[in-house]
Amino acid sequence: MWVQKTLTLPSHRRGFHLITAAVVRAIPEIESIKTGLLHVFIQHTSASLTINENADPDVRVDFETAMNHAVPESLPYVHTLEGPDDMPAHVKASMMGASVQIPVSNGELMLGTWQGIYLCEHRDHASSRRIVVTLTGE
C-alpha cells in the first residue's frame, strides 16, 4: 500500500514544535500497516524536521539556543532581502534536514519512548508550513 497526503501546519513562532500527533492524525491508514515506513518531508527552505526528545520542554529551548549559537544572525550574509532571520533560517534548515523516516509496525510509529517529530521553525514570523507524508507498507 502507498498513501501520500499533504498536511498544512498552522504558523508557529520561531522554535522547535512537536508535530507527531498531527502527522499521525493526517494518516489514519497507518492503523492497517503491519510493517512499513513513514516518510515526512517539509516543502520549505527556512524550516526543517528532526526527531528528538519529546518529554522535557527544556530540550526545545536548548535546541533553539544551540542553533542560534551555531548560526548567528550577525554574520555578514549577502542574501538579506527577506530580513535578517531569513538566510540563517536557510542554513539551519540545511543543517537539520528536510525529511525524517520512521519505521511502522502493527499500526504504530516505531519511535523510541522519548522520541517525537519536530517542526523546526527558523523564521521569526513564519507562515503555515506544508508537510508531505508518504506511507508505504503491508
Side-chain angles (χ1 to χ4, degrees):
M1 173 194 335
W2 285 90
V3 177
Q4 187 171 76
K5 297 182 180 182
T6 300
L7 169 64
T8 301
L9 299 172
S11 62
H12 285 84
R13 61 177 172 71
R14 183 172 170 164
F16 290 72
H17 308 278
L18 283 168
I19 61 167
T20 311
V23 169
V24 171
R25 275 194 309 273
I27 48 160
E29 296 88 349
I30 197 169
E31 293 176 3
S32 67
I33 299 295
K34 181 177 177 186
T35 303
L37 286 171
L38 177 69
H39 184 262
V40 186
F41 176 79
I42 188 165
Q43 294 183 308
H44 300 275
T45 60
S46 58
S48 55
L49 298 172
T50 194
I51 295 174
N52 215 294
E53 153 89 56
N54 70 352
D56 185 353
D58 289 346
V59 170
R60 298 171 220 173
V61 173
D62 290 343
F63 256 128
E64 181 65 18
T65 300
M67 289 305 293
N68 290 334
H69 180 75
V71 185
E73 289 184 12
S74 60
L75 293 177
Y77 296 106
V78 176
H79 175 75
T80 59
L81 292 175
E82 296 179 57
D85 68 331
D86 187 48
M87 191 58 218
H90 292 307
V91 174
K92 291 172 186 177
S94 288
M95 290 172 64
M96 301 289 296
S99 67
V100 295
Q101 189 164 289
I102 304 129
V104 176
S105 183
N106 297 319
E108 295 183 357
L109 296 179
M110 295 303 296
L111 291 167
T113 301
W114 306 111
Q115 290 182 317
I117 305 168
Y118 278 95
L119 165 67
C120 313
E121 181 52 68
H122 305 301
R123 295 296 310 267
D124 289 328
H125 305 287
S127 60
S128 59
R129 299 297 192 176
R130 286 181 320 281
I131 307 288
V132 178
V133 294
T134 304
L135 176 65
T136 185
E138 57 182 18

